[in-house]
Amino acid sequence: MQFATPQDVEDAYYDALETGDAQAMASIWDASEDAVCLLPMTPLVTGARIQRLWQAIFEQGGTFDIQVRHLIWIEGEEVAIHLVEEHSGQDQHEGQALAPIYATNVFRRGPDGWRLLLHQNSPTPPPPPAVPTNGRTAVA
Amino acid sequence: MQFATPQDVEDAYYDALETGDAQAMASIWDASEDAVCLLPMTPLVTGARIQRLWQAIFEQGGTFDIQVRHLIWIEGEEVAIHLVEEHSGQDQHEGQALAPIYATNVFRRGPDGWRLLLHQNSPTPPPPPAVPTNGRTAVA
């Protein structure tokens, strides 16, 4: 696979998550040992071990329907940075909306097009606490 | 202030944290609205609001003695990315070591030198649970 733009790589990343396609996932990463994948609350995974991480996740049946909202978009000739909010398609857990997760995706242009160099997730903060008012509950 | 290298900017960032110096902190950030500061479990702060965030933190007496361990170091002509582990100088809380925090620092070179464009923290995962063995406790 060749990707002509950072956005093509990003689309392919979230498509691979949705279909659980380890081969597609392998094709989108920068091949160097610099590549970084930092999923929520997991140890840092770098370089060739990123492929094995995703293979293991997908072999366990993991697929992820994630909608992305772009927050910041910085594009240069060689490096591009997209800061996004990831919303799970199943944004409900026991009747409660799941908080979105921040992600920074850094892309690098190489001789064979753009690739994903760094993916870092961070939790978003919990919503403000509900404030009781006159026996009812309002969100602060 | 002018910074000749990404590392100079990074050193100035952690120095400003240690001294609680809002003016020094203001000087290290990229001046564009693209700038991103994502501290642990806090809402995203961008652009000019980053200065106000740090001013508020420092006015409340916040200082942070952080030791940095570099994990990944990617440097280009215009953009540099350092992935680090931040260890708090007070890495003890109720007798327990505090987990380090991952941080990605992205630097951009502009007409007046390098600046910090994006700072994103992520929690590191908790240590493996203690496993009881023969009435004693060992770490798995």
Side-chain angles (χ1 to χ4, degrees), chain B residues 29-95:
Chain B
W29 285 90
D30 188 288
S32 80
E33 281 305 304
D34 291 339
V36 172
C37 183
L38 202 43
L39 300 178
M41 296 308 287
T42 66
L44 176 70
V45 177
T46 60
R49 284 174 300 171
I50 295 172
Q51 314 296 357
R52 296 201 288 276
L53 168 72
W54 283 109
Q55 218 154 15
I57 291 171
F58 292 147
E59 275 169 10
Q60 290 166 30
T63 62
F64 306 89
D65 179 13
I66 291 173
Q67 309 305 318
V68 166
R69 188 163 81 91
H70 281 93
L71 302 175
I72 301 268
W73 184 288
I74 301 160
E75 302 219 330
E77 288 295 308
E78 306 295 332
V79 174
I81 301 162
H82 294 184
L83 180 72
V84 304
E85 247 178 30
E86 297 181 345
H87 295 259
S88 166
Q90 296 86 27
D91 255 8
Q92 295 286 328
H93 179 66
E94 295 178 357

Side-chain angles (χ1 to χ4, degrees), chain B residues 2-3 30 77-79 107-116:
Chain B
Q2 286 231 356
F3 301 101
D30 188 288
E77 288 295 308
E78 306 295 332
V79 174
F107 307 92
R108 181 160 66 178
R109 192 159 68 92
D112 58 350
W114 288 88
R115 289 284 187 281
L116 183 59

